[in-house]
Amino acid sequence: MSMQTETQNKETLEHLKDTQAPSTYIEQIPEGVSAVMETQGLNLFYNKTKQALKDVSLSFRRNEITALIGPSGCGKSTYLRCLNLMNREIPNCVFEGPILYNGKDINTKDVDVYEVRKHIGMVFQQPNPFAKSIYENIAFGPRMHGRKDKNYLNELVETSLKRAALWDEVKDNLDKSAYELSGGQQQRLCIARTIAMKPDVILMDEPCSALDPISTKKIEELMNGLKEDYTIIIVTHNMEQAKRVADYTAFFYVGNLIEYGNTANMFSNPQTPLLSDYLTGRFS
């Protein structure tokens, strides 16, 4: 993004904040349909003064992909990091409100964050493999959690790499350094590493932003296959990607959840002026 475009976006956002009270449209989960994760009135503050998330209530259904979209700085990545408590590691960051995982509030002082992250895994924007072999990248986490059996680990490595559509490319070089893989392969390795922990939920923070179109297509195909067994929540700036992969989409704007609903419906018939402006390029 050029400096001129970024300045124009900031000016547009400031104008909208001053002149337009944000209307909202949040589609409700049908009665009887359970949510694997849910936030209820989630607020987040930095240094007790700067509020980055404002009363965000949002539910995520099992075996579906939800895309979080919105302009830069709107809170979508901040929100994603709340879901597995990563924001607790930021000094002077406080987030308040229930974060429910299978009906249990994990946003409590006595919760074991390492146990939470076994069930709610994260894939980051830049591939971040360990400085270890391909095999050890997969086996390291389970081994740290007490799984020592070699046969079990061998099977887990193979299964995880197959689920990440990487096995056929690396099966003869499992002792090779993960750093020798291409960027797209490294990102699929990170997904395999997450799968190896057997989570329920996989969080993805712009997982394709650093990848070429071919690698991006492979990751998107992978996500569509993985949702059969996992709930996936993805932050993306790529609107075409959101339309391709997401069952539901949540649109954030300056810390507020503005609109949430079926992806196809939201993109073809936005219910709020802010989403309409965003999709038509008034700001980005």
Side-chain angles (χ1 to χ4, degrees):
M1 181 186 298
S2 69
M3 290 295 295
Q4 182 179 4
T5 301
E6 187 174 358
T7 300
Q8 289 173 343
N9 281 339
K10 288 181 179 178
E11 290 174 351
T12 301
L13 289 171
E14 290 301 322
H15 173 72
L16 288 170
K17 282 192 281 187
D18 292 339
T19 62
Q20 188 172 352
S23 58
T24 61
Y25 177 83
I26 312 299
E27 182 178 313
Q28 299 301 312
I29 288 184
E31 201 169 319
V33 177
S34 63
V36 64
M37 290 208 74
E38 182 177 1
T39 61
Q40 298 176 348
L42 184 67
N43 294 286
L44 183 142
F45 299 86
Y46 295 111
N47 297 316
K48 299 182 180 180
T49 55
K50 181 182 178 182
Q51 187 168 8
L53 294 174
K54 305 169 186 176
D55 195 32
V56 179
S57 297
L58 186 56
S59 299
F60 302 97
R61 292 175 251 207
R62 294 185 182 279
N63 308 115
E64 291 182 344
I65 300 175
T66 302
L68 310 183
I69 66 170
S72 297
C74 68
K76 54 191 184 295
S77 289
T78 298
Y79 178 79
L80 190 77
R81 284 168 164 76
C82 287
L83 297 179
N84 72 344
L85 308 180
M86 286 195 66
N87 286 328
R88 287 194 178 181
E89 299 171 11
I90 301 175
N92 301 316
C93 176
V94 176
F95 48 106
E96 306 165 341
I99 301 173
L100 304 180
Y101 166 62
N102 287 330
K104 179 183 178 181
D105 187 6
I106 60 173
N107 190 20
T108 61
K109 291 182 179 180
D110 59 347
V111 74
D112 183 342
V113 295
Y114 299 105
E115 187 66 23
V116 165
R117 290 170 191 165
K118 280 174 55 180
H119 301 285
I120 307 168
M122 172 77 85
V123 176
F124 296 93
Q125 183 174 1
Q126 294 287 341
N128 62 337
F130 300 147
K132 298 177 181 292
S133 69
I134 295 168
Y135 182 97
E136 285 301 320
N137 264 268
I138 308 300
F140 180 78
R143 190 183 286 120
M144 291 297 291
H145 284 273
R147 302 309 301 256
K148 307 293 186 181
D149 182 77
K150 184 68 173 178
N151 290 332
Y152 172 84
L153 292 174
N154 288 345
E155 183 177 346
L156 180 66
V157 167
E158 180 175 345
T159 301
S160 300
L161 288 170
K162 283 180 176 177
R163 293 303 311 272
L166 189 57
W167 174 252
D168 288 341
E169 298 170 39
V170 302
K171 62 184 179 181
D172 296 323
N173 296 287
L174 295 179
D175 292 331
K176 181 179 179 179
S177 169
Y179 290 159
E180 296 182 45
L181 299 175
S182 69
Q185 288 175 324
Q186 286 186 15
Q187 192 66 300
R188 280 182 282 148
L189 178 64
C190 292
I191 292 172
R193 187 176 67 194
T194 299
I195 291 171
M197 297 304 296
K198 302 186 182 298
D200 285 335
V201 180
I202 299 176
L203 311 177
M204 296 185 170
D205 192 359
E206 297 190 66
C208 301
S209 65
L211 305 181
D212 61 83
I214 293 175
S215 296
T216 294
K217 182 180 179 182
K218 289 183 178 180
I219 297 291
E220 290 178 359
E221 291 172 347
L222 175 58
M223 284 190 281
N224 279 317
L226 290 175
K227 76 175 184 179
E228 296 178 4
D229 298 304
Y230 308 98
T231 297
I232 298 175
I233 306 167
I234 176 176
V235 168
T236 181
H237 277 104
N238 186 329
M239 296 302 96
E240 292 302 315
Q241 181 174 81
K243 286 194 285 186
R244 286 192 296 265
V245 305
D247 301 290
Y248 285 81
T249 294
F251 170 61
F252 282 75
Y253 169 75
V254 290
N256 296 281
L257 174 62
I258 300 299
E259 190 163 338
Y260 166 79
N262 175 275
T263 298
N265 293 341
M266 280 181 60
F267 278 81
S268 63
N269 186 29
Q271 299 297 301
T272 61
L274 277 172
L275 178 58
S276 179
D277 286 343
Y278 183 66
L279 294 177
T280 54
R282 185 176 176 192
F283 59 91
S284 59

